[in-house]
Amino acid sequence: MNARFLPLAAVLATFWLALFPITSVDAYYHLATGRRILDTRTIPTRGVGSATFGQAPWHDNEWGFQALAALIGRAERDDGGVLVLTPGGRVGLVLLRGAACAATMALLAATILRSGAGPGLAALGVWLAAFLTFGNLFWDIRPQILSYLALAAVIDLLDRDRIGSKGALAGVLAVIAVWSNVHGAVLLGCAAVAAEAAGAWIAREARARRVTLAALLAPVAACLNPLGWRQLAYAFRYARDPAMVAGNNEWARPDLLHLPLLVLTAALLVAAIVAGARPRPAGLLRVLGFGALFVTAIRHLPLFAIVLVPVTIEAIGGLRFRARPLVLVGAAIIVVLLSGAKFIGVVPRFGEQPSRPLPETEVRRLVRQGIGGNGFNAYRFGGFLMWRLYPGEVVAMDGRNDLYGTFRTDVYDTILLARPGWERLFDDLVRRFDIRWVLVDAGDPLAAALSSRHGWQRIDGDTAFALLISDEPEKR
């Protein structure tokens, strides 16, 4: 193979590997909300889909992705009366993920090639970025995948402006405007432009003034969405309100001992600088800024990788390192071995394979027996119930911590874990929100506590889940 085709081959390989099943349960919540947007032709302003907080104000900062996912993910009612993805809908969503992944890697390859690192190192950079981020937590049917693509596009366009490409900065602002309509992380695009402006001044580049102007206009572009300035400001709520991230694993601080590939990549950048490489100040500023963001939460790993890898490969290439074929193959193998990547699609698969089982039988029993009212559910499959039982507002808790605030820690967790005082809180929920059924994991303490309580009948079924029905007369 001609060496110049290596980056393309690497991009195509990442597309192929990204064709794995839908694994994240969050996908169902996004599909349910997206379908509601398409059906009502409005962006939700309250917590629709929630039995407990359905009327509470809510800022849907991911509406664009949700509408796109619902449009691609065609759905129908199955024989059990629940909403399911059609075969074409599943294929479409998996292809959406694969296309977003490949486009992100293609932009990184273009940025690396422009630095003069050569096609071999560019291909290695694509491979490295892909395996740093492969996993069900990152590349799945979630709005974050479009933030990864948008960040790579912003970095690439800023680099194009550096070499004199006309219209590149206008392109940056256009990307940010679109980004603000699909995911609330658009603030990070503004930060990337600000880092470029600061780096341009440090390096005394002639373009520093116009990049600074772009940095000032970036927040304005981010307000070009139906939610206006609130979309840009919304990201700051995560810093002000700890309840929005409490109990959510992806907001946990990363354990670097379990991220050897990332540590190695950062070490290579430091080693290259010590050896005499001189990365551009803007690139280093982005690495430092996104690195600081990453140490606050594991969910920011892909964003950090997208800014770290091009700078690292450029630094290595700046040492006039000649990437021999055997070295590239060896490095590619090391990347795979150190990544610990899971869920990649060596053989393409277009189905649904949740990381943990979901109560498919139980939800169909609810529909088949016509059990009305709302339910108290396990947190992890709240979005799943919203999707299967759409359009009913049925769940006591789903994945939107920004909607529920302290309800999860003060009320929901107390009930689910059957802590002291749970009965009073549970009875209050039953009365206020017409809770007629409970569907939780069989191992949840509430399942055992409620099974022996008068007025609740446990339905035999899958031993992994506990479905309990109220014996009280249904409200009319």
Side-chain angles (χ1 to χ4, degrees):
M1 177 187 293
N2 191 311
R4 69 175 183 270
F5 293 114
L6 286 175
L8 175 61
V11 169
L12 293 176
T14 61
F15 171 76
W16 182 270
L17 294 175
L19 301 180
F20 56 84
I22 301 168
T23 60
S24 172
V25 294
D26 283 354
Y28 298 108
Y29 149 68
H30 291 298
L31 288 168
T33 305
R35 186 177 179 92
R36 192 178 299 272
I37 292 171
L38 295 180
D39 288 347
T40 64
R41 299 184 183 276
T42 59
I43 300 172
T45 57
R46 61 182 183 88
V48 290
S50 169
T52 50
F53 281 72
Q55 299 302 319
W58 176 52
H59 179 97
D60 186 2
N61 66 343
E62 301 159 336
W63 70 271
F65 170 83
Q66 292 161 345
L68 176 64
L71 191 65
I72 294 174
R74 302 293 297 274
E76 62 186 7
R77 300 277 175 191
D78 71 1
D79 294 339
V82 301
L83 197 63
V84 298
L85 288 167
T86 66
R90 290 193 293 268
V91 170
L93 289 173
V94 172
L95 289 177
L96 171 65
R97 175 221 284 129
C101 181
T104 300
M105 299 307 156
L107 288 166
L108 291 182
T111 304
I112 294 170
L113 286 170
R114 209 173 295 116
S115 72
L121 283 176
L124 182 60
V126 167
W127 198 244
L128 175 60
F131 276 88
L132 274 171
T133 58
F134 271 145
N136 69 318
L137 179 62
F138 306 125
W139 288 106
D140 214 325
I141 311 305
R142 308 175 73 198
Q144 287 89 330
I145 64 176
L146 297 187
S147 276
Y148 306 154
L149 174 58
L151 178 60
V154 167
I155 292 173
D156 183 67
L157 286 165
L158 289 171
D159 193 61
R160 289 179 183 276
D161 177 75
R162 179 181 61 84
I163 63 172
S165 178
K166 293 182 179 180
L169 288 181
V172 168
L173 298 178
V175 169
I176 288 176
V178 174
W179 190 351
S180 70
N181 286 274
V182 296
H183 193 215
V186 64
L187 181 64
L188 299 179
C190 299
V193 184
E196 186 74 20
W201 284 108
I202 293 172
R204 298 182 179 181
E205 297 177 4
R207 68 190 188 109
R209 292 183 183 276
R210 72 171 186 270
V211 179
T212 300
L213 177 61
L216 295 173
L217 291 175
V220 178
C223 294
L224 298 179
N225 66 83
L227 304 172
W229 63 269
R230 292 181 295 275
Q231 180 75 331
L232 185 63
Y234 190 74
F236 293 103
R237 280 196 59 190
Y238 288 88
R240 300 196 313 266
D241 187 358
M244 290 177 63
V245 300
N248 196 324
N249 290 336
E250 65 183 282
W251 284 97
R253 292 182 180 274
D255 180 2
L256 295 181
L257 292 178
H258 290 87
L259 297 170
L261 184 59
L262 180 68
V263 173
L264 176 60
T265 304
L268 286 174
L269 174 58
V270 173
I273 293 174
V274 171
R278 292 295 176 263
R280 293 177 54 247
L284 288 178
L285 287 174
R286 280 197 296 268
V287 168
L288 291 174
F290 280 79
L293 179 68
F294 161 68
V295 298
T296 67
I298 186 63
R299 67 176 279 138
H300 300 312
L301 171 59
L303 299 167
F304 182 39
I306 287 168
V307 301
L308 174 64
V309 169
V311 177
T312 301
I313 298 297
E314 177 184 352
I316 295 173
L319 297 175
R320 300 187 183 279
F321 173 79
R322 186 175 180 181
R324 299 181 182 277
L326 287 179
V327 173
L328 287 175
V329 172
I333 293 173
I334 291 173
V335 164
V336 175
L337 293 177
L338 289 181
S339 69
K342 299 178 181 179
F343 300 104
I344 58 174
V346 177
V347 176
R349 292 170 293 163
F350 298 94
E352 299 170 61
Q353 185 180 319
S355 54
R356 291 177 62 187
L358 294 172
E360 294 283 4
T361 300
E362 286 72 15
V363 75
R364 284 169 173 78
R365 175 170 289 179
L366 288 172
V367 174
R368 185 174 63 252
Q369 296 183 2
I371 298 171
N374 298 311
F376 185 94
N377 60 285
Y379 171 83
R380 71 179 185 88
F381 43 74
F384 166 79
L385 293 173
M386 287 173 63
W387 172 244
R388 288 285 187 259
L389 301 175
Y390 176 88
E393 297 186 12
V394 296
V395 298
M397 184 74 194
D398 58 69
R400 294 171 289 178
N401 283 359
D402 57 337
L403 173 64
Y404 292 89
T406 59
F407 172 81
R408 180 178 180 184
T409 54
D410 295 349
V411 178
Y412 173 83
D413 284 347
T414 299
I415 295 173
L416 185 68
L417 300 177
R419 292 169 177 164
W422 75 269
E423 292 175 304
R424 175 182 56 81
L425 294 174
F426 181 72
D427 290 342
D428 182 60
L429 283 187
V430 170
R431 176 181 55 81
R432 292 170 57 199
F433 303 110
D434 190 27
I435 302 297
R436 308 294 308 167
W437 48 271
V438 171
L439 180 52
V440 295
D441 286 301
D444 290 329
L446 177 64
L450 205 58
S451 295
S452 59
R453 195 169 191 238
H454 176 72
W456 289 89
Q457 177 186 0
R458 185 161 179 170
I459 306 300
D460 292 332
D462 192 325
T463 56
F465 308 102
L467 175 61
L468 299 103
I469 308 299
S470 173
D471 289 337
E472 297 296 325
E474 186 173 352
K475 292 180 180 179
R476 296 295 181 184

